[in-house]
Amino acid sequence: MSVRHPLSAIAVAGLLAACSSLSGESLASPAPANAGNIHGLPFTRAPFVLTPIADFDDPWAIAFIPGTAFALITEKSGRLMLWQPDGEVSAIAGVPAVAVGDDGGLGDVVLHPDFAANRLVYLSWAEQGAGGKGAVVGRARLSDDMTRLEGLQTIWRQVPFVSGWGHFGHRIAFGPDGMLYISSGERQKFAPAQDLDSNLGKVLRLTDSGAAPPDNPFAAAGAVRSQIWSLGHRNPLGLAFAEDGRLWELEMGPEGGDELNLIQRGANYGYPAVSNGDHYDGRDIPDHASGDGFVAPQLWWNPAISPAGLMIYSGDIFPAWRGNAFIAALGGTALIRVELDGGSARQLDRWDMGFRVRAVAQGSDGAIWLLGDGGNRGEGRLYRLAPRP
């Protein structure tokens, strides 16, 4: 079992110096509260201290183990790591073989709502198979000593597997109804997002064992259609439930069309028929318009932020932020705070982190934790955010 150690004191000092602007003077005037398009709102002064905690190669997702301060962290290259509060990082055995390239690799990690009793861990990853590659979701039991996964079984696959390495999506979340929700990218193939005989470009709703529940909107049609909860998505990279039970989805759109969506049962979000962005080759995509039959995003960004992760905060360390959504931005090198008010959203803060933010999570301690994207100005680090003294 490989083991990595915490950052050295020299490395920590250097990182803190590099991030000093996060606790210094305002970079710009506070961003106004906006709905709809966010036209590059200015950065605001960060009311927190950013502390680098540990190094990883290419981290993608993080899940804190309830009742402990330990965390599971996926690395895209195919390792599931256990981070311990003393700083030790070790690899967990029993992880599936993954197809790695560009967007593909080991993806999300979440724990079953009844993890304390069943110790079930859910993972998503890219897999090579007939027809090409696709995202899959599996579950396994984490051993009592937290060194290995036991009894891994695949419970869901993208249909169909296709060529290419882009837009797997594969974020996963449990809802208050006990169901498992999976975001499935359209794999840069466009049309499948509108095809009910494919689960690409969709949000899926399944039981914890991977079956399609009978109250899904297209359940009567059977087959892949029975899995679908919503459709018309491009590359959904964030799923999170608010305390009121509403499901929010964060989507990397085309050029100038990144989206935050309120997900509704059976709704069509329009891609690729409509989008507030355009194709990267310059071709126009019609904008969302009233009466077009598609659900428009609650927020969208132009210039794009390249969103990668979504968390809705419920902790005690930042009490004023309870119920707010936090967005990890890759190209935007930012952490973004959004106020959710029922079914509406408005951006309140955009903090320049100085690195590509891959994931944002709430820790067992109530702090906010970030993963920097591996390489390309992310450096693959785990960070903790706490209130500034």
Side-chain angles (χ1 to χ4, degrees), residues 155-312:
I155 63 171
W156 176 84
R157 282 185 169 90
Q158 285 186 327
V159 178
F161 275 29
V162 297
S163 62
W165 287 101
H167 298 185
F168 290 94
H170 64 35
R171 288 287 185 186
I172 47 185
F174 275 97
D177 56 0
M179 296 297 167
L180 179 67
Y181 292 76
I182 303 170
S183 71
S184 177
E186 46 70 71
R187 302 287 280 106
Q188 293 181 302
K189 306 302 180 186
F190 307 103
Q194 292 294 322
D195 181 1
L196 289 174
D197 291 319
S198 165
N199 59 20
L200 305 182
K202 313 295 194 301
V203 172
L204 297 316
R205 178 177 178 261
L206 307 173
T207 67
D208 64 352
S209 62
D215 57 341
N216 273 3
F218 309 104
V224 169
R225 291 189 181 208
S226 65
Q227 304 175 357
I228 297 171
W229 190 249
S230 64
L231 64 151
H233 302 289
R234 183 177 182 265
N235 191 20
L237 287 168
L239 283 179
F241 281 88
E243 289 186 344
D244 61 9
R246 289 182 169 93
L247 175 59
W248 292 86
E249 177 256 0
L250 183 65
E251 187 164 329
M252 189 179 288
E255 188 171 17
D258 297 334
E259 300 179 353
L260 179 66
N261 291 300
L262 176 63
I263 298 299
Q264 303 172 33
R265 180 184 186 276
N268 189 334
Y269 291 79
Y271 191 79
V274 297
S275 172
N276 290 336
D278 294 318
H279 291 294
Y280 283 99
D281 62 7
R283 288 178 295 138
D284 178 67
I285 303 175
D287 289 348
H288 282 273
S290 178
D292 63 8
F294 302 115
V295 179
Q298 293 298 309
L299 292 177
W300 57 282
W301 285 267
N302 186 4
I305 59 170
S306 300
L310 178 67
M311 177 270 285
I312 298 177

Side-chain angles (χ1 to χ4, degrees), residues 118-138:
N118 60 31
R119 301 193 63 80
L120 288 177
V121 175
Y122 289 70
L123 297 172
S124 67
W125 65 92
E127 183 179 83
Q128 182 76 45
K133 291 167 284 290
V136 304
V137 171

Side-chain angles (χ1 to χ4, degrees), residues 58-60 74-79 98-107:
D58 46 10
W60 209 88
T74 59
E75 293 186 328
K76 192 177 76 169
S77 55
R79 295 198 297 180
V98 303
V100 181
D102 294 338
D103 289 353
L106 187 59

